[in-house]
Amino acid sequence: MAENEKIIEIEVLRYRPEQDKEPVLQTYKVPFTDDMSVLQGLQYIKDYLDGTVSFRWSCRMAICGSCGMMIDGKPKLSCKTFLRDYYPGGLRVEALAHLPIERDLVVDATDFVTKLESIKPYIIPKEPRALEQGEYLQTPQQRDMYEQFSSCINCMLCYAACPQYGLNPKFTGPGILALMHRYNADSRDGGQAERNELGYADEGYWGCTAVGYCSEVCPKGVDPANAINQNKMNSAINYFTRFVTPGGAGK
Amino acid sequence: MKRSNEPIFWSLFGAGGMLAALIGPALVFITGIAVPFGFVFSPDTMSYAHMLAFSQSWAGKVFVLAVIALFLWHAAHRIHILLHDFGVHAVTAVRVLCYGGAFAGTVIAAYTLLMIKA
């Protein structure tokens, strides 16, 4: 460590199912330099202070979506958050809110993954196309319709931010509804009717009360609140016109 | 998955919000400030005779009903969701109070307007 090193106190929410009845806080004094992220602080703890602390991480550069946690009560990627911003005070890191804790800072993502699979997060071609017909063409304007929503890295920060998901985990939630919009809004896709059966339900777009914190915490600039609001409009139009539009009533 | 009936309430909420944003402040200014103080409009603009004449025309009736009913539905939905976000989850009671109130207000306004004969 450099000579100008400072010490910061990191409180970590521990939960070791074999010994803790409920999560408890444990404080570590961590020497740090100005270029160190919260993730690096945790790695210091694991390497030098307490090898039993568990947390997920992989890329260290805000693209894998593994290291999301509550940092002083706000959902953040720990690799994109710097210790210097909390000094001279300390900081508290906890597992992502609204999700069951598996161990320490590791949450159980089963619900998220199951929901993600259920929305068919892939392009369902409008019409089948033979190889010799070439690729599906798309204009830049058509791409702009969905591009920002395709930046999602599945980090679940928006799930920790969403009060509706916290109240009712049956709600599909911001990130996955934004991804649903990403595919529905793609000019090459024809899967809207299949996906909107969920979208038009109470568990879909209508579970949202437009709080908007999801869009604020997204580390990739995705705006799930906007995706949901656009689809509330689509869903409402479909609700009132479904009996006069061919195929509007869905399956 | 069951299709949600939320579009009914959301559409009324949206229409009310749009109307409130477009003409709400102007209405407050005209009815609350400009007319009583006699700026721009003469102080008798909203006299009983003028208002009666306004609500005797069909266009006037539609306007008054839209302003009252849509504002009420907007407020009902907003309060309902706000209570939910603040942790009041007596869903049925809150819904009955909010939407029931807006419905009652709509019926009373419509009935009263229809009773105003030319």
Side-chain angles (χ1 to χ4, degrees):
Chain A
M1 283 280 157
E3 277 174 33
N4 60 349
E5 76 174 19
K6 293 171 273 190
I7 309 273
I8 191 165
E9 280 195 2
I10 304 183
E11 266 184 301
V12 181
L13 190 74
R14 303 297 310 272
Y15 176 66
R16 292 141 295 187
E18 70 283 359
Q19 66 177 84
D20 299 324
K21 273 215 174 83
E22 53 188 53
V24 286
L25 286 164
Q26 192 170 348
T27 307
Y28 300 94
K29 287 186 166 49
V30 179
F32 77 103
T33 46
D34 278 349
D35 57 353
M36 274 173 71
S37 64
V38 173
L39 175 63
Q40 283 174 293
L42 288 168
Q43 287 168 326
Y44 184 91
I45 295 173
K46 188 154 180 93
D47 290 347
Y48 300 105
L49 306 176
D50 183 349
T52 67
V53 174
S54 300
F55 51 95
R56 286 200 181 103
W57 65 279
S58 177
C59 77
R60 326 172 311 285
M61 47 198 229
I63 196 61
C64 76
S66 309
C67 71
M69 52 191 75
M70 306 302 285
I71 303 180
D72 269 3
K74 294 190 173 147
K76 287 175 188 284
L77 292 182
S78 60
C79 69
K80 213 186 164 202
T81 310
F82 287 86
L83 290 171
R84 59 173 186 257
D85 295 328
Y86 296 88
Y87 189 75
L91 66 152
R92 177 181 290 183
V93 294
E94 295 158 295
L96 281 177
H98 305 156
L99 297 159
I101 301 178
E102 217 163 278
R103 183 178 193 88
D104 296 340
L105 303 171
V106 177
V107 292
D108 179 358
T110 310
D111 182 52
F112 180 86
V113 174
T114 313
K115 284 174 177 165
L116 181 59
E117 285 171 348
S118 77
I119 62 140
K120 307 186 186 191
Y122 39 82
I123 288 175
I124 302 169
K126 257 190 199 130
E127 63 249 29
R129 210 168 156 89
L131 202 56
E132 57 274 17
Q133 290 173 282
E135 62 273 68
Y136 290 89
L137 296 177
Q138 189 166 60
T139 66
Q141 285 81 1
Q142 287 172 325
R143 194 196 55 208
D144 287 346
M145 299 301 287
Y146 68 83
E147 196 181 23
Q148 66 133 319
F149 303 106
S150 69
S151 301
C152 175
I153 56 172
N154 302 344
C155 67
M156 304 185 288
L157 295 194
C158 54
Y159 282 74
C162 175
Q164 301 316 320
Y165 181 70
L167 289 169
N168 176 14
K170 281 189 181 154
F171 174 41
T172 309
I176 291 168
L177 288 172
L179 274 173
M180 192 145 109
H181 179 67
R182 178 256 170 273
Y183 291 98
N184 283 346
D186 193 311
S187 60
R188 299 162 294 182
D189 183 86
Q192 290 89 346
E194 290 171 56
R195 295 193 198 95
N196 279 338
E197 208 186 319
L198 165 65
Y200 293 172
D202 280 330
E203 295 83 354
Y205 307 124
W206 297 106
C208 165
T209 60
V211 171
Y213 192 33
C214 51
S215 302
E216 229 171 279
V217 302
C218 178
K220 304 309 285 183
V222 179
D223 189 349
N226 172 277
I228 294 173
N229 225 26
Q230 284 188 48
N231 283 286
K232 279 187 179 172
M233 183 55 92
N234 294 341
S235 174
I237 291 170
N238 177 277
Y239 185 87
F240 294 111
T241 60
R242 64 195 143 141
F243 301 114
V244 290
T245 322
K251 277 183 272 181
Chain B
M1 286 276 166
K2 202 175 141 284
R3 182 188 276 274
S4 173
N5 288 317
E6 198 63 14
I8 297 171
F9 303 102
W10 185 80
S11 302
L12 288 164
F13 163 76
M18 175 85 80
L19 201 64
L22 287 176
I23 67 165
L27 272 180
V28 170
F29 175 73
I30 295 170
T31 61
I33 299 167
V35 172
F37 287 100
F39 318 136
V40 193
F41 305 96
S42 76
D44 77 331
T45 307
M46 291 181 68
S47 65
Y48 180 75
H50 280 150
M51 289 292 98
L52 181 65
F54 184 71
S55 45
Q56 277 169 337
S57 73
W58 280 106
K61 284 186 210 293
V62 169
F63 178 81
V64 174
L65 181 64
V67 168
I68 293 175
L70 290 177
F71 277 38
L72 280 175
W73 283 101
H74 180 79
H77 191 70
R78 176 46 69 214
I79 293 168
H80 172 216
I81 278 177
L82 209 66
L83 285 173
H84 176 73
D85 286 344
F86 277 117
V88 181
H89 305 308
V91 181
T92 313
V94 170
R95 280 189 159 233
V96 167
L97 272 176
C98 292
Y99 297 133
F103 182 75
T106 305
V107 171
I108 293 168
Y111 178 78
T112 313
L113 283 164
L114 279 175
M115 287 300 108
I116 300 173
K117 295 280 179 334

